[in-house]
RNA sequence: GGAGAAAUGGCAGAGUGGUCGAAUGCGGCAGUCUUGAAAACUGUUGAGGGUCACACCUCCGGGGGUUCGAAUCCCUCUUUCUCCGCCA
């Protein structure tokens, strides 16, 4: 959520930069300015009326105490009119404030100057490409066939138990998945992130805090009986650790990491590009989250990108980094880098990580602040990224590391798997 | 799931209708003293809105109500604790 004070001061600039997302924000920004102006007028009126009421009440109290009950009762008559005014202005103010908030909820974050123009993923800017694309032997298979051949992932069984998009991992497949989780967590904690185990459900306030609610509730599984949501990413419980928190400046930066399953409804998309592990309703992910001083957040973003890069290098997977264009940027992000690995049998790039700086967009909703050098509360910046998402990494390992003798295990994972080939 | 108790500032803890944004202690910060530190002493120390700055308004778990006036009374929700039951 953008800050009203920012919109007041820089409305022209904000409109210009939102145009990079291909939206014409002028009407809604003008509405925000109007509503804000009206809201503040009402607030001033309400404050003045309340001040009058308070003074009157005090006077009445004093009169009663000094035994002048008749004078006090005479004053009481005057209060009822003030009371009515307070009630009606208060109601109008609340309505206005809610309407203003609804508007603000609908405005996406302002893109950073580095965000390229564009409409779709085709306009994303490739900033780096690294790693060897392996030459596969004749008869190499896509991962869904490998999964069946070596009996390590059972999609049909998942269908039976839960439905499409809920695969069952078995034997060495399950072990490889667990190895990846442990390896990722170790890499993250070695880089200074503190490991957390977080709830896999969140309440409504948390969903609002990170921007999934309102409006995007369709993407989350909703447990209506208890009004809880299955998390679509550890970002939601992880970032909400800091909801309504005022940190000391010396607490920054904060880095946390956590493994969670992620649940996404993502209804209405079927076909070859979502086959196998490419897109699921439940998948595993290890997330990194940072809380940063505003002056350091872009440096931190670069650090996160370098960190994820390091992991992909160690796994010896061919990858590329994309700077997302305005049309592809998520609602809350100011700047996002996507990581894609090349899955050699499908011959496709698969997104395995998305690293973003949200600046104050989330912290404004969360009320996540720190006391700055002047002793004032200032919104912190939040960032997060996948480090890493499991299924597509697993898919690319299966495909890229396949040989006629079986699927080799990347060197760094061997201590975690305890075996060096799936055959 | 049943019965009872409670929720106040960073923490502990007073406060049952007005002078309470809230005693007191601890902690934090600044100062005095000291070569330095500790101790002691003095001062200061919640958040949000609003203002050039003041004024002023709001907040004692959340929401609603009674009253001229609510931390204090009433209703409701949530959470925590104790006892009982169940349980990985």
């Amino acid at each position: 959520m953008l800050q009203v004070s920012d919109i007041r001061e820089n409305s022209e600039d904000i409109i210009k930069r939102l145009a990079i997302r291909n939206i014409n924000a002028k009407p809604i920004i003008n509405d925000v300015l109007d509503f804000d102006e009206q809201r503040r007028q009402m607030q001033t009126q309400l404050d003045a009326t309340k001040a009058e009421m308070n003074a009157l009440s005090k006077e009445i109290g004093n009169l009663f105490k000094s035994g002048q009950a008749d004078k006090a009762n005479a004053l009481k008559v005057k209060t009822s009119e003030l009371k009515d005014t307070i009630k009606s202005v208060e109601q109008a103010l609340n309505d206005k404030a809610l309407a203003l908030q609804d508007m603000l909820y609908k405005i996406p974050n302002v893109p950073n100057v580095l965000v390229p123009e564009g409409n779709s993923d085709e306009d994303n800017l490739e900033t780096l490409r690294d790693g060897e694309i392996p030459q596969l032997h004749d008869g190499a298979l896509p991962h869904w066939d490998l999964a069946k051949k070596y009996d390590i992932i059972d999609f049909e069984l998942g269908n039976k138990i839960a439905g499409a998009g809920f695969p069952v991992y078995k034997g060495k497949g399950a072990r490889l998945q667990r190895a990846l989780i442990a390896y990722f967590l170790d890499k993250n904690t070695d880089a200074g992130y503190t490991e957390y185990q977080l709830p896999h459900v969140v309440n409504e306030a948390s969903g609002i805090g990170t921007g999934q609610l309102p409006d995007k509730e369709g993407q989350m599984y909703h447990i209506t009986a208890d009004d809880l949501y299955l998390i679509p990413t550890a970002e939601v419980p992880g970032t909400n650790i800091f909801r309504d928190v005022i940190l000391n400046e010396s607490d920054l930066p904060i880095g946390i990491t956590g493994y969670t399953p992620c649940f996404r409804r993502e209804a209405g998309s079927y076909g070859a590009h979502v086959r196998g592990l490419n897109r699921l309703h439940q998948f595993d992910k290890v997330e990194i989250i940072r809380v940063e001083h505003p002056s350091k957040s872009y440096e931190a973003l670069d650090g996160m990108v370098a960190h994820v890069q390091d992991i992909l290098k160690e796994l010896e997977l061919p990858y590329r980094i994309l700077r997302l264009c305005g049309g592809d940027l998520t609602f809350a992000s100011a700047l996002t880098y996507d990581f894609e690995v090349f899955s050699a049998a499908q011959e496709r790039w698969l997104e395995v990580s998305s690293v973003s700086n949200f600046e104050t967009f989330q912290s404004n909703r969360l009320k996540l602040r720190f006391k700055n050098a002047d002793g004032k509360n200032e919104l912190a910046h939040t960032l997060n990224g996948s480090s890493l998402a499991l299924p597509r990494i697993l898919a690319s390992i299966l495909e890229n590391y396949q040989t006629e003798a079986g699927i080799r295990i990347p060197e760094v994972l061997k201590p975690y798997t305890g075996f060096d080939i799936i055959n």
Side-chain angles (χ1 to χ4, degrees), chain A residues 19 118 251 275 316 333 381 393:
Chain A
D251 294 332
R275 208 165 161 193
E316 299 180 76
S333 175
H381 281 194
I393 289 284

Side-chain angles (χ1 to χ4, degrees), chain A residues 73 84 102 116 137 244 250 326 343 369 410 413:
Chain A
N73 284 319
D84 289 348
D102 278 350
H137 62 275
D244 292 321
S250 60
S343 208
R369 294 162 294 178
L413 291 180

Side-chain angles (χ1 to χ4, degrees), chain A residues 6-284:
Chain A
D6 270 0
I7 295 177
R8 267 200 306 255
E9 286 159 27
N10 310 309
S11 62
E12 289 305 311
D13 187 46
I14 286 172
I15 290 167
K16 204 183 294 172
R17 286 164 67 192
L18 282 172
I20 295 173
R21 287 183 180 267
N22 311 311
I23 58 173
N24 174 19
K26 197 174 182 123
I28 194 166
I29 293 289
N30 283 338
D31 282 351
V32 166
L33 291 172
D34 279 354
F35 272 56
D36 177 49
E37 177 66 35
Q38 293 165 28
R39 199 213 84 225
R40 282 185 296 154
Q41 267 177 25
M42 289 174 179
Q43 183 77 59
T44 306
Q45 191 196 347
L46 180 65
D47 285 0
T49 314
K50 278 188 169 173
E52 212 179 318
M53 186 72 156
N54 287 346
L56 211 50
S57 294
K58 197 168 251 178
E59 207 179 328
I60 290 170
N62 287 333
L63 286 173
F64 272 123
K65 207 167 298 169
S66 58
Q68 299 171 272
D70 46 338
K71 274 190 178 175
N73 284 319
L75 281 181
K76 271 198 195 181
V77 180
K78 286 172 73 178
T79 61
S80 72
E81 192 183 330
L82 285 175
K83 250 178 139 171
D84 289 348
T85 307
I86 287 173
K87 207 155 211 168
S88 67
V89 176
E90 208 159 43
Q91 184 59 51
L93 175 68
N94 284 343
D95 291 350
K96 190 61 72 175
L98 273 175
L100 178 61
Q101 188 166 59
D102 278 350
M103 283 180 202
L104 289 170
Y105 278 158
K106 291 197 168 81
I107 304 173
N109 202 358
V110 175
N112 181 275
V113 290
L114 289 175
V115 173
E117 292 186 23
N119 299 309
S120 71
D121 54 359
E122 295 183 4
D123 301 312
N124 294 334
L125 182 75
E126 184 173 320
T127 61
L128 187 125
R129 187 182 284 219
D130 191 24
E132 291 269 311
I133 293 176
Q135 294 297 311
L136 300 184
H137 62 275
D138 287 346
L141 299 169
H143 70 267
W144 50 86
D145 289 332
L146 293 168
K148 185 166 260 174
K149 179 176 175 185
Y150 296 112
D151 195 24
I152 51 177
I153 306 171
D154 194 329
F155 293 99
E156 286 76 24
L157 188 54
N159 262 333
K160 171 186 163 185
I161 299 169
F166 296 92
V168 174
Y169 303 86
K170 318 201 293 196
K172 284 183 172 176
R175 179 66 185 248
L176 178 54
Q177 179 113 264
R178 176 155 62 91
L180 280 164
I181 292 166
Y183 164 65
F184 292 152
L185 285 170
D186 283 354
K187 286 295 287 182
N188 296 344
T189 52
D190 286 350
Y193 293 89
T194 304
E195 183 174 346
Y196 277 69
Q197 288 193 5
L198 296 159
H200 298 171
V201 294
V202 292
N203 56 28
E204 187 186 17
S206 293
I208 289 172
T210 33
Q212 281 71 30
L213 298 175
D215 286 353
K216 286 181 277 299
E217 54 262 79
Q219 293 173 12
M220 290 191 288
Y221 288 96
H222 187 194
I223 304 165
T224 52
D226 300 290
D227 202 15
L228 294 168
Y229 296 86
L230 287 178
I231 57 171
T233 161
E235 165 193 346
V236 183
T239 310
N240 273 283
I241 292 171
F242 303 103
R243 175 154 46 85
D244 292 321
V245 165
I246 301 174
L247 299 161
N248 294 314
E249 193 165 359
S250 60
D251 294 332
L252 300 175
I254 293 171
I256 72 171
T257 185
Y259 153 71
T260 67
C262 302
F263 302 89
R264 297 190 182 176
R265 295 184 66 221
E266 317 231 40
S269 185
Y270 298 93
H273 60 296
V274 298
R275 208 165 161 193
L277 294 171
N278 290 351
R279 196 191 292 182
L280 302 168
H281 285 310
Q282 179 183 332
F283 64 96
D284 292 307

